[in-house]
Amino acid sequence: MLDLSLPPSVTVSPTVVGVSVLTDDGIIVQISLPRPRGLHDLPAEEVADRAMTLAKAALKTASETLEAA
């Protein structure tokens, strides 16, 4: 899975969904999520939408965890 576009971007492969985000500090954060079973029949756009939602939650949790450390 190779994606040369600028973030935010979503890549969808048969086994992984990747979300890249460019932060305000100029840092690119890549989140790779296993593509859950049962989503293989969904259009890539719908999988990408779900991945963005999961990625937002993951970034929020990571940020809260880092702030507590």
Side-chain angles (χ1 to χ4, degrees), residues 10-63:
V10 177
T11 54
V12 179
S13 79
T15 58
V16 176
V17 178
V19 179
S20 294
V21 180
L22 182 62
T23 69
D24 291 340
D25 296 322
I27 298 168
I28 296 174
V29 177
Q30 169 73 35
I31 299 173
S32 297
L33 306 163
R35 186 169 177 172
R37 294 177 189 242
L39 295 183
H40 289 89
D41 296 332
L42 295 177
E45 295 80 22
E46 189 169 340
V47 174
D49 287 343
R50 291 184 185 194
M52 290 291 278
T53 300
L54 291 171
K56 287 177 186 177
L59 284 172
K60 182 179 178 197
T61 300
S63 175

